[in-house]
Amino acid sequence: MISYPETGQFRQVITSVEKHTRRREEDRNKPLPVLKFIGTVKLHGTNSALAFNKESGFWCQSRNNIITPQKDNAGFATHMTPIAEKFFNDLVLPTSAAIREQYEVGRTIVIFGEWCGGKIQKNVAISGLPTMFVIFKVRVRHSKEIATTEDTEDDADEETRTDSFWLEPKHWSHLKWTEKSIYNIMDFQTFEIEIDFGTPKSVQNKLVAITEEVERQCPVGAHFQKTGVGEGVVWTEWEKTFGTLTFKVKGEQHSVSHVKTLAPVDAEKLANLQEFVEYACTENRMLQGLDYLREQQLTIEMKNVGAFLKWLVNDIVKEEKDTMEKSNIVSNDVGRGIQNKAKKWYQDQIV
């Protein structure tokens, strides 16, 4: 299992760049870089991937599991299993020398994308369209081991691995098979922005404006003559960090935290635990928790409320660590804080 790494927030990328640039004592006054980011439409579906290894063959993945038609996630493996090898052998290997070179020496190629459309998610422009797999990144893993579901935790932070790297878009931006509902995110509207990390607030308004534009009308929906909202934008830096520096900006309707402004440059300081719960334990985040249960083949009933609450607490602690530190909230209190709100909400979802 070669998991897709979590995509952070703008404020977290700012912190990361500052720490990396000034990690040594002699660099404490070193100017922060100016980096160019490419923005792609963030699609509201379910994270999925096709993985190929010359020795092990191919497999399908959801965000957290290896999946099969017998143990699927939203029908992705059922759709892809009959066509995956033909797609890779006939359309990927002959047209991408970089992928072919890595594959032939025994490395694993993982084609990540969003499985979306249909009834996978609600309240976005692409809802109701035929289900589709939209490729948005390709990763190479040096190791040859066959994937197992037990690998998931070890691979949770894929960005930190030294035997794994992203391929530049020029090597995969042409990959698609539209007749079989495989598309490429680079075929839709993209954006560019230059960020001076010495003055990151100077680009905040532009990030917000682009996000609000996508939220008003999803460019992918528009491509298919479907009006409706988009989820947001994913920004990736390729020239200096080779795809590892990335962040997301979601529109207000899809944000999982009650932020005062989109794309904040600093973590918010909240007065107490209750205020933090209202900020972080939103309906959008809890809906993601239900998606997690479905991915794990768990039904939405009270016997699975523990798995729901565990995912919810872990997700909040992981994504809002900087907010918790600034607000003097410890992780042990978060579970206690969200228990009543989240459990009652979960009970209301049971039909």
Side-chain angles (χ1 to χ4, degrees), residues 62-322:
S62 61
R63 177 172 286 280
N64 299 289
N65 299 308
I66 292 169
I67 54 176
T68 66
Q70 293 74 38
K71 190 176 181 181
D72 210 343
N73 180 48
F76 179 72
T78 299
H79 179 86
M80 288 297 170
T81 298
I83 64 173
E85 289 182 302
K86 184 173 179 60
F87 171 61
F88 192 68
N89 292 327
D90 293 359
L91 297 177
V92 177
L93 292 180
T95 64
S96 177
I99 292 178
R100 185 170 64 251
E101 178 184 352
Q102 297 295 331
Y103 177 75
E104 289 296 338
V105 297
R107 291 166 184 162
T108 300
I109 308 299
V110 191
I111 302 174
F112 286 104
E114 198 78 359
W115 180 237
C116 56
K119 297 180 180 179
I120 296 173
Q121 297 291 355
K122 301 176 181 178
N123 304 320
V124 286
I126 58 176
S127 299
L129 290 173
T131 48
M132 65 186 96
F133 179 52
V134 184
I135 297 166
F136 56 63
K137 246 178 174 182
V138 176
R139 195 158 186 90
V140 175
R141 170 75 76 82
H142 289 201
S143 53
K144 301 178 183 180
E145 74 275 8
I146 190 167
T148 66
T149 52
E150 285 75 25
D151 291 335
T152 305
E153 286 192 14
D154 293 338
D155 292 342
D157 191 3
E158 182 69 18
E159 296 288 15
T160 65
R161 298 185 65 102
T162 57
D163 66 344
S164 185
F165 62 92
W166 297 112
L167 278 178
E168 294 179 70
K170 65 182 180 181
H171 299 303
W172 54 264
S173 60
H174 63 286
L175 299 179
K176 58 187 170 183
W177 192 6
T178 57
E179 294 83 0
K180 297 296 184 180
S181 300
I182 301 176
Y183 294 85
N184 198 297
I185 197 64
M186 294 298 182
D187 285 338
F188 307 108
Q189 185 179 8
T190 60
F191 310 89
E192 288 190 13
I193 195 167
E194 195 171 72
I195 300 177
D196 182 345
F197 281 90
T199 57
K201 198 165 186 177
S202 62
V203 300
Q204 187 178 37
N205 288 342
K206 187 173 181 180
L207 288 171
V208 170
I210 291 172
T211 304
E212 290 177 341
E213 175 190 338
V214 169
E215 186 172 47
R216 280 191 297 271
Q217 173 58 62
C218 173
V220 178
H223 176 87
F224 294 102
Q225 289 80 52
K226 183 85 181 292
T227 58
V229 301
E231 186 181 19
V233 180
V234 176
W235 296 94
T236 307
E237 199 284 324
W238 287 100
E239 293 181 0
K240 303 294 185 183
T241 63
F242 310 106
T244 62
L245 198 62
T246 183
F247 66 94
K248 61 191 174 188
V249 184
K250 290 186 178 182
E252 185 176 351
Q253 294 184 50
H254 291 95
S255 176
V256 294
S257 298
H258 287 309
V259 294
K260 295 177 182 176
T261 181
L262 301 180
V265 298
D266 296 304
E268 293 189 32
K269 184 175 183 179
L270 304 171
N272 50 50
L273 179 62
Q274 186 56 41
E275 191 172 322
F276 175 78
V277 169
E278 293 306 310
Y279 161 84
C281 187
T282 61
E283 182 168 34
N284 282 341
R285 196 186 297 274
M286 290 188 284
L287 286 170
Q288 289 185 353
L290 297 187
D291 289 340
Y292 170 77
L293 292 187
R294 296 186 187 103
E295 184 196 351
Q296 302 303 316
Q297 313 292 313
L298 296 174
T299 52
I300 313 303
E301 51 186 316
M302 284 310 296
K303 70 178 183 178
N304 294 321
V305 68
F308 168 78
L309 292 173
K310 181 179 179 180
W311 178 90
L312 187 63
V313 172
N314 288 342
D315 190 67
I316 289 173
V317 171
K318 176 180 61 186
E319 288 207 357
E320 300 295 341
K321 183 179 179 181
D322 54 349

